[in-house]
Amino acid sequence: MQFILLTHSRELVRASNTGQIVLQVLGERARLIEWHRKLPDTKLLTAIDAGKVGLVFPADDNSPSLNLDATASLNSSANNAVPSFEYLLLIDATWQEARKMYNQSPYLKSLVKVGLQPTHASIYPLRRNQLEGGLCTAECVALLLKKVGEAGLAKQLTECLMEFIER
């Protein structure tokens, strides 16, 4: 599984951005795409059209979704109802910006949403006014890595995040 960070332009210059940690730790398994409202990335649109992309984002009542609890797996389930994605897309922005990006990007609304239900509060204290129960980008990716059986890589990402926070 690979990760796509659809990143708001303001995130590119924020010292508090944790997407950079994801890119550093995951290397070629993570890709940054700068979000442009009027000019979406053509390779991303092609992958979406091919059904290869799931969106890590809170689900609403009107869209297909998959909520993962602490024990769910992304690769399989008892009844094989959990789809397997080649790419998981995360909107890398503040929650306020992420909602705007989602609402202004019709191609995102068609995606199956992968909702995370973490068992712990965020360890990331560097932003104010965040969504209750929300995680930063690096925490989301670490949780997803655990769910696909990559606990070692998840631990490495979490350790790098903790070092980032302590700086």
Side-chain angles (χ1 to χ4, degrees):
M1 175 182 307
Q2 296 184 40
F3 296 90
I4 299 170
L5 304 181
L6 187 61
T7 304
H8 194 285
S9 59
R10 290 187 200 131
E11 282 304 300
L12 299 174
V13 296
R14 285 189 175 122
S16 58
N17 175 264
T18 65
Q20 64 185 319
I21 302 166
V22 172
L23 295 169
Q24 173 190 337
V25 173
L26 269 58
E28 292 185 11
R29 289 193 49 202
R31 184 174 132 211
L32 183 146
I33 297 174
E34 185 176 352
W35 177 76
H36 297 283
R37 184 172 64 88
K38 295 184 179 181
L39 188 62
D41 184 87
T42 56
K43 289 181 182 176
L44 175 58
L45 293 178
T46 300
I48 288 172
D49 289 343
K52 297 179 178 182
V53 182
L55 174 64
V56 180
F57 199 75
D60 57 32
D61 292 336
N62 301 323
S63 60
S65 65
L66 163 67
N67 284 310
L68 298 180
D69 64 21
T71 59
S73 168
L74 277 175
N75 290 331
S76 63
S77 70
N79 61 5
N80 291 325
V82 180
S84 180
F85 299 107
E86 187 173 335
Y87 305 98
L88 283 178
L89 185 146
L90 294 93
I91 300 176
D92 187 25
T94 65
W95 277 107
Q96 294 81 4
E97 290 167 342
R99 281 188 207 97
K100 289 177 187 175
M101 291 167 65
Y102 176 78
N103 288 329
Q104 295 176 2
S105 304
Y107 57 95
L108 296 178
K109 293 183 179 185
S110 67
L111 294 172
V112 172
K113 290 180 190 63
V114 177
L116 300 177
Q117 297 176 345
T119 57
H120 59 80
S122 175
I123 63 169
Y124 187 68
L126 301 179
R127 298 243 175 112
R128 296 185 313 259
N129 302 324
Q130 294 307 302
L131 183 69
E132 186 174 333
L135 302 175
C136 71
T137 300
E139 288 173 309
C140 288
V141 172
L143 184 58
L144 291 162
L145 287 168
K146 284 181 194 174
K147 293 195 178 301
V148 296
E150 296 192 49
L153 193 55
K155 182 179 180 204
Q156 181 184 354
L157 181 57
T158 301
E159 288 171 353
C160 287
L161 174 62
M162 293 173 81
E163 288 175 19
F164 179 78
I165 291 169
E166 291 170 4
R167 281 192 260 158

